[in-house]
Amino acid sequence: MKDSFNRSINYVRIGVTDRCNLRCFYCMPKEGVPYEPSAHLLSYEEITRLLNVLGNLGFNKVRFTGGEPFLRKDFMTLLEKTYTLDQYPDIRITTNGTLMTKQIPKLKEMGITKLNLSLDSLDAKRFKKITRRDDFDKVMSTFYTLLKEGFKLKINAVVMNDINTEDIIPLVGLAKQYPVSVRFIEEMPFNGGYKKNKTVFKATDIYNTIIKKYPDFHKKEGKHGDTATSYRIDGFLGDVGIIPAFSRTFCNTCNRLRITAKGDIKSCLYDSGVFNIRDFMRSGVTDKELTEKFVELVKLKPENGFVAEKMKNTKHDHLESMSVIGG
Ligand code: SAM
Ligand code: SF4
């Protein structure tokens, strides 16, 4: 399906919960965010209905995120139902890796073997400072188990000035040793009110840090819709990506639509939610009406994240939390 800027939109990211067991400070304040009651969240039946409608409109890529998706009690049921839809050959998940090892056999059975694992530091103390929880060993153990089980992993690391820039080179080292994609993400201003962002450690700063250590840091050919610019280094088993999430230089090939846990459609990460699809569905609409609504919403997708931000009804981005947006 095309938007008004002739971009093909085929990728839906669904926040399945706003809850989380970690408190990464770039995402949530230490006291957490006010959680929605479960009845306000899209049920797994509603999510699979939406996926079916979107699949019939040409969507073929889905990612479940949150909050922490594995905190949701019926998350595995949602995966099982999604697995039965033939429009989505690849189901992807973004997770903090603290609660999921028991589900690995079931995930493999469903062919769900592509995961994004968040890991901002290889130093246990810094990990604890960033996430405000003492789960470093658990996440590392998940990492090794997933590798052993043959999962294709992307490691997501948010890079923050004065916090974890010294982790960049050790994290790049993971791609040297293992066939993983290590992706560095610029910090976005969605931390649920903890603080205003300091100066952002930009994609160019990340690039300059890496190339100083690895002069043979070569750009790879990207796929359409990639938010990360990918690089390889000779002799490495994996690769490295840099995601200019704050600088927003990838918007001209954006192929995404986001649905938050309570059903707000976000046609851009930087908009404030353009429509609530949960209330629309609960008013008893038909699949045809849902389809027409999505066609209309995709047409409203703004040209880029700066335009979306300008249209927003609040100037206080940092009061929003990525766990509510569905990162
Ligand atoms: N809890 C899961 C996790 O941490 O992987 C999934 C949800 S989390 C919101 C999804 C991704 O968003 C994570 O990789 C996280 O690092 C990233 N993220 C959260 N807040 C961010 C921010 N302010 N700027 C950039 N990335 C952010
Ligand atoms: Fe939780 Fe993920 Fe947000 Fe960290 S980034 S607080 S793990 S939702």
Side-chain angles (χ1 to χ4, degrees), residues 18-28 66-68 95-96 118 120 131 158 321-324:
D18 51 0
R19 292 167 195 243
C20 193
N21 55 325
L22 303 188
R23 289 288 179 277
C24 307
F25 77 86
Y26 51 75
C27 176
M28 270 202 208
E68 174 47 38
T95 175
N96 64 30
S118 298
D120 307 308
T131 62
V158 179
S321 160
M322 274 299 268
S323 70
V324 175

Side-chain angles (χ1 to χ4, degrees), residues 47-98:
I47 295 175
T48 38
R49 182 178 174 204
L50 289 175
L51 282 172
N52 188 41
V53 166
L54 287 169
N56 292 339
L57 278 168
F59 280 67
N60 56 13
K61 215 175 148 187
V62 60
R63 174 173 300 283
F64 294 115
T65 177
E68 174 47 38
F70 287 95
L71 259 186
R72 181 165 164 153
K73 287 201 179 66
D74 59 5
F75 183 51
M76 293 309 287
T77 312
L78 170 63
L79 293 179
E80 279 161 29
K81 299 289 175 196
T82 307
Y83 175 61
T84 63
L85 299 173
D86 45 9
Q87 301 106 318
Y88 300 93
D90 266 343
I91 301 171
R92 296 151 200 241
I93 304 170
T94 302
T95 175
N96 64 30
T98 56

